[in-house]
Amino acid sequence: MTPVTGRVAAHVRALDTGVMAALPLSDAAEEPGRTVAAVARRLGVAPATLRTWDRRYGLGPSAHAAGSHRRYTAADVERLAEMRRLTLEGVPPGEAARHALATHGATLSTNGATSAPHAVGTEQAGAERHDDAHHQAGGGTVLAMPGASADVRGLARAAMALDDRSCTALVRESLHRHGVVETWQHLVSPVLVSVGARWEATGFGVDVEHLLSESVLVAMRTSTPPAEPRNASPVLLASAEEDQHGLVLHVLRAALAERQVSARVLGSRVPRDALASAVRRSGPSAVFLWSQMQHTGDPEQLEALPRIRPAPGIVVGGPGWAHAQLPPSVHAVDSLDSALDMLTMLSCPGAEEDRRR
């Protein structure tokens, strides 16, 4: 069976990745000093990790303005980036911190005292350990993402480090700040596409894609559902029979929730009889069926749906339907935005007119 990662690039592009545009937060916006949250996003670590490095190793922010919190300078971020790089390569945190301080100079600890580099002998031993770790790692621990934003690079670093907690935290923060569509198109998608390209070029990266996908699933699943949905009947979201791709369904559910549209995710590989049973029992306003692979985009699954009243709108998405002969009543969408618009219109009569007003 072909690994999922081998198809992740097409899977992501099929749901409208957009371009690798930077998120509103840029380096210029962070000057003259960066916050803990901003630096954490840039490096791909959790803010709690930066606070631990500050407390234990003196790798804290050194800029201070009256009446405000201390901020990280460019030099502080360089030290932290070196710390992050070394720990990813297997160097113990204490030795990585000593090397970062020795290479990039001293910084201020949390109590305001200057933290100087340790003895040369200790640093030398740490550097030797680093050389060994780098040799053993064999390189390839960084995704090449030229022109990507600091947030995208941070998520890529966390994913390559298999740091699921940081991945989930970064996606959750972006969901809070930018919403589902922006997070998917300009944060998650660029990294997934890059991971897929790396797999296609080297044969490695299945573990990275699986971990990142699970982290995104956790973040999307725990996003707040609408308190008072506008649709009287839910939208059903499912993958076609034998289709193993379910990430898109959770992205759709979370994006619909932002529009106050209630949806239920049935998951991947939903047998046609199970989908038919769910339609009968829930009386949905709309049904969305995702197909990633051509052999899973079988129109007979659509014809097997029960005839109920009122009849739900049927929407399909994904490259698996590209060559299928669809019934005239079925709506095919080719992007996240078009899927959202179609499902909102079908489940909330009058929603399009309200939006235009």
PDB file of all heavy atoms in Angstrom, residues 114-131:
ATOM      1  N   THR A 114      23.577  38.652  34.550  1.00  0.00           N
ATOM      2  CA  THR A 114      24.141  38.219  33.288  1.00  0.00           C
ATOM      3  C   THR A 114      24.606  36.785  33.397  1.00  0.00           C
ATOM      4  O   THR A 114      25.290  36.413  34.347  1.00  0.00           O
ATOM      5  CB  THR A 114      25.334  39.106  32.901  1.00  0.00           C
ATOM      6  OG1 THR A 114      24.872  40.445  32.797  1.00  0.00           O
ATOM      7  CG2 THR A 114      25.918  38.662  31.577  1.00  0.00           C
ATOM      8  N   SER A 115      24.214  35.978  32.415  1.00  0.00           N
ATOM      9  CA  SER A 115      24.611  34.578  32.395  1.00  0.00           C
ATOM     10  C   SER A 115      25.750  34.419  31.401  1.00  0.00           C
ATOM     11  O   SER A 115      25.567  34.594  30.196  1.00  0.00           O
ATOM     12  CB  SER A 115      23.413  33.706  31.981  1.00  0.00           C
ATOM     13  OG  SER A 115      23.792  32.379  31.876  1.00  0.00           O
ATOM     14  N   ALA A 116      26.961  34.123  31.901  1.00  0.00           N
ATOM     15  CA  ALA A 116      28.139  34.025  31.045  1.00  0.00           C
ATOM     16  C   ALA A 116      28.350  32.587  30.619  1.00  0.00           C
ATOM     17  O   ALA A 116      27.873  31.660  31.259  1.00  0.00           O
ATOM     18  CB  ALA A 116      29.364  34.523  31.804  1.00  0.00           C
ATOM     19  N   PRO A 117      29.099  32.362  29.539  1.00  0.00           N
ATOM     20  CA  PRO A 117      29.393  31.007  29.101  1.00  0.00           C
ATOM     21  C   PRO A 117      30.178  30.246  30.142  1.00  0.00           C
ATOM     22  O   PRO A 117      30.922  30.824  30.919  1.00  0.00           O
ATOM     23  CB  PRO A 117      30.218  31.229  27.824  1.00  0.00           C
ATOM     24  CG  PRO A 117      29.861  32.601  27.365  1.00  0.00           C
ATOM     25  CD  PRO A 117      29.596  33.378  28.614  1.00  0.00           C
ATOM     26  N   HIS A 118      30.036  28.937  30.152  1.00  0.00           N
ATOM     27  CA  HIS A 118      30.736  28.093  31.099  1.00  0.00           C
ATOM     28  C   HIS A 118      32.166  27.874  30.646  1.00  0.00           C
ATOM     29  O   HIS A 118      32.620  28.397  29.632  1.00  0.00           O
ATOM     30  CB  HIS A 118      30.000  26.754  31.239  1.00  0.00           C
ATOM     31  CG  HIS A 118      28.708  26.891  31.976  1.00  0.00           C
ATOM     32  ND1 HIS A 118      28.468  26.297  33.176  1.00  0.00           N
ATOM     33  CD2 HIS A 118      27.584  27.592  31.669  1.00  0.00           C
ATOM     34  CE1 HIS A 118      27.255  26.597  33.591  1.00  0.00           C
ATOM     35  NE2 HIS A 118      26.699  27.369  32.686  1.00  0.00           N
ATOM     36  N   ALA A 119      32.894  27.057  31.391  1.00  0.00           N
ATOM     37  CA  ALA A 119      34.314  26.849  31.122  1.00  0.00           C
ATOM     38  C   ALA A 119      34.545  26.315  29.726  1.00  0.00           C
ATOM     39  O   ALA A 119      33.730  25.582  29.182  1.00  0.00           O
ATOM     40  CB  ALA A 119      34.891  25.868  32.142  1.00  0.00           C
ATOM     41  N   VAL A 120      35.708  26.701  29.155  1.00  0.00           N
ATOM     42  CA  VAL A 120      36.014  26.316  27.787  1.00  0.00           C
ATOM     43  C   VAL A 120      36.039  24.808  27.632  1.00  0.00           C
ATOM     44  O   VAL A 120      35.562  24.254  26.645  1.00  0.00           O
ATOM     45  CB  VAL A 120      37.370  26.930  27.353  1.00  0.00           C
ATOM     46  CG1 VAL A 120      37.760  26.417  25.976  1.00  0.00           C
ATOM     47  CG2 VAL A 120      37.280  28.435  27.359  1.00  0.00           C
ATOM     48  N   GLY A 121      36.574  24.105  28.615  1.00  0.00           N
ATOM     49  CA  GLY A 121      36.649  22.654  28.525  1.00  0.00           C
ATOM     50  C   GLY A 121      35.281  22.030  28.400  1.00  0.00           C
ATOM     51  O   GLY A 121      35.068  21.109  27.607  1.00  0.00           O
ATOM     52  N   THR A 122      34.302  22.543  29.185  1.00  0.00           N
ATOM     53  CA  THR A 122      32.950  22.002  29.117  1.00  0.00           C
ATOM     54  C   THR A 122      32.322  22.291  27.769  1.00  0.00           C
ATOM     55  O   THR A 122      31.644  21.455  27.174  1.00  0.00           O
ATOM     56  CB  THR A 122      32.080  22.619  30.233  1.00  0.00           C
ATOM     57  OG1 THR A 122      32.726  22.403  31.469  1.00  0.00           O
ATOM     58  CG2 THR A 122      30.695  22.009  30.247  1.00  0.00           C
ATOM     59  N   GLU A 123      32.554  23.529  27.272  1.00  0.00           N
ATOM     60  CA  GLU A 123      31.996  23.895  25.978  1.00  0.00           C
ATOM     61  C   GLU A 123      32.579  23.016  24.873  1.00  0.00           C
ATOM     62  O   GLU A 123      31.873  22.594  23.959  1.00  0.00           O
ATOM     63  CB  GLU A 123      32.326  25.355  25.655  1.00  0.00           C
ATOM     64  CG  GLU A 123      31.627  26.345  26.581  1.00  0.00           C
ATOM     65  CD  GLU A 123      32.220  27.729  26.396  1.00  0.00           C
ATOM     66  OE1 GLU A 123      32.985  27.931  25.455  1.00  0.00           O
ATOM     67  OE2 GLU A 123      31.910  28.578  27.214  1.00  0.00           O
ATOM     68  N   GLN A 124      33.884  22.770  24.993  1.00  0.00           N
ATOM     69  CA  GLN A 124      34.535  21.969  23.969  1.00  0.00           C
ATOM     70  C   GLN A 124      33.957  20.563  23.925  1.00  0.00           C
ATOM     71  O   GLN A 124      33.692  20.005  22.860  1.00  0.00           O
ATOM     72  CB  GLN A 124      36.044  21.916  24.252  1.00  0.00           C
ATOM     73  CG  GLN A 124      36.873  21.477  23.055  1.00  0.00           C
ATOM     74  CD  GLN A 124      38.334  21.718  23.300  1.00  0.00           C
ATOM     75  OE1 GLN A 124      38.790  21.787  24.444  1.00  0.00           O
ATOM     76  NE2 GLN A 124      39.089  21.849  22.234  1.00  0.00           N
ATOM     77  N   ALA A 125      33.717  20.009  25.133  1.00  0.00           N
ATOM     78  CA  ALA A 125      33.119  18.678  25.192  1.00  0.00           C
ATOM     79  C   ALA A 125      31.726  18.694  24.579  1.00  0.00           C
ATOM     80  O   ALA A 125      31.335  17.775  23.861  1.00  0.00           O
ATOM     81  CB  ALA A 125      33.056  18.196  26.649  1.00  0.00           C
ATOM     82  N   GLY A 126      30.979  19.794  24.880  1.00  0.00           N
ATOM     83  CA  GLY A 126      29.645  19.910  24.304  1.00  0.00           C
ATOM     84  C   GLY A 126      29.700  20.009  22.795  1.00  0.00           C
ATOM     85  O   GLY A 126      28.884  19.434  22.077  1.00  0.00           O
ATOM     86  N   ALA A 127      30.684  20.769  22.279  1.00  0.00           N
ATOM     87  CA  ALA A 127      30.816  20.916  20.833  1.00  0.00           C
ATOM     88  C   ALA A 127      31.155  19.589  20.183  1.00  0.00           C
ATOM     89  O   ALA A 127      30.660  19.256  19.100  1.00  0.00           O
ATOM     90  CB  ALA A 127      31.899  21.948  20.513  1.00  0.00           C
ATOM     91  N   GLU A 128      32.030  18.791  20.847  1.00  0.00           N
ATOM     92  CA  GLU A 128      32.369  17.480  20.308  1.00  0.00           C
ATOM     93  C   GLU A 128      31.144  16.579  20.291  1.00  0.00           C
ATOM     94  O   GLU A 128      30.910  15.835  19.338  1.00  0.00           O
ATOM     95  CB  GLU A 128      33.489  16.853  21.143  1.00  0.00           C
ATOM     96  CG  GLU A 128      34.826  17.576  20.994  1.00  0.00           C
ATOM     97  CD  GLU A 128      35.856  17.075  21.973  1.00  0.00           C
ATOM     98  OE1 GLU A 128      35.494  16.206  22.798  1.00  0.00           O
ATOM     99  OE2 GLU A 128      36.994  17.537  21.924  1.00  0.00           O
ATOM    100  N   ARG A 129      30.366  16.650  21.367  1.00  0.00           N
ATOM    101  CA  ARG A 129      29.138  15.847  21.417  1.00  0.00           C
ATOM    102  C   ARG A 129      28.189  16.263  20.285  1.00  0.00           C
ATOM    103  O   ARG A 129      27.535  15.446  19.667  1.00  0.00           O
ATOM    104  CB  ARG A 129      28.450  16.064  22.780  1.00  0.00           C
ATOM    105  CG  ARG A 129      27.145  15.307  22.960  1.00  0.00           C
ATOM    106  CD  ARG A 129      27.348  13.922  23.539  1.00  0.00           C
ATOM    107  NE  ARG A 129      28.125  13.882  24.746  1.00  0.00           N
ATOM    108  CZ  ARG A 129      27.604  13.873  25.977  1.00  0.00           C
ATOM    109  NH1 ARG A 129      26.293  13.948  26.151  1.00  0.00           N
ATOM    110  NH2 ARG A 129      28.377  13.767  27.030  1.00  0.00           N
ATOM    111  N   HIS A 130      28.160  17.586  20.043  1.00  0.00           N
ATOM    112  CA  HIS A 130      27.306  18.094  18.967  1.00  0.00           C
ATOM    113  C   HIS A 130      27.745  17.560  17.609  1.00  0.00           C
ATOM    114  O   HIS A 130      26.924  17.158  16.789  1.00  0.00           O
ATOM    115  CB  HIS A 130      27.338  19.629  18.967  1.00  0.00           C
ATOM    116  CG  HIS A 130      27.033  20.241  17.643  1.00  0.00           C
ATOM    117  ND1 HIS A 130      25.837  20.049  16.984  1.00  0.00           N
ATOM    118  CD2 HIS A 130      27.780  21.037  16.835  1.00  0.00           C
ATOM    119  CE1 HIS A 130      25.847  20.700  15.851  1.00  0.00           C
ATOM    120  NE2 HIS A 130      27.019  21.303  15.716  1.00  0.00           N
ATOM    121  N   ASP A 131      29.079  17.540  17.368  1.00  0.00           N
ATOM    122  CA  ASP A 131      29.580  17.023  16.106  1.00  0.00           C
ATOM    123  C   ASP A 131      29.182  15.566  15.918  1.00  0.00           C
ATOM    124  O   ASP A 131      28.788  15.147  14.834  1.00  0.00           O
ATOM    125  CB  ASP A 131      31.110  17.150  16.051  1.00  0.00           C
ATOM    126  CG  ASP A 131      31.546  18.602  15.916  1.00  0.00           C
ATOM    127  OD1 ASP A 131      30.708  19.413  15.479  1.00  0.00           O
ATOM    128  OD2 ASP A 131      32.701  18.915  16.261  1.00  0.00           O
TER     129      ASP A 131
END
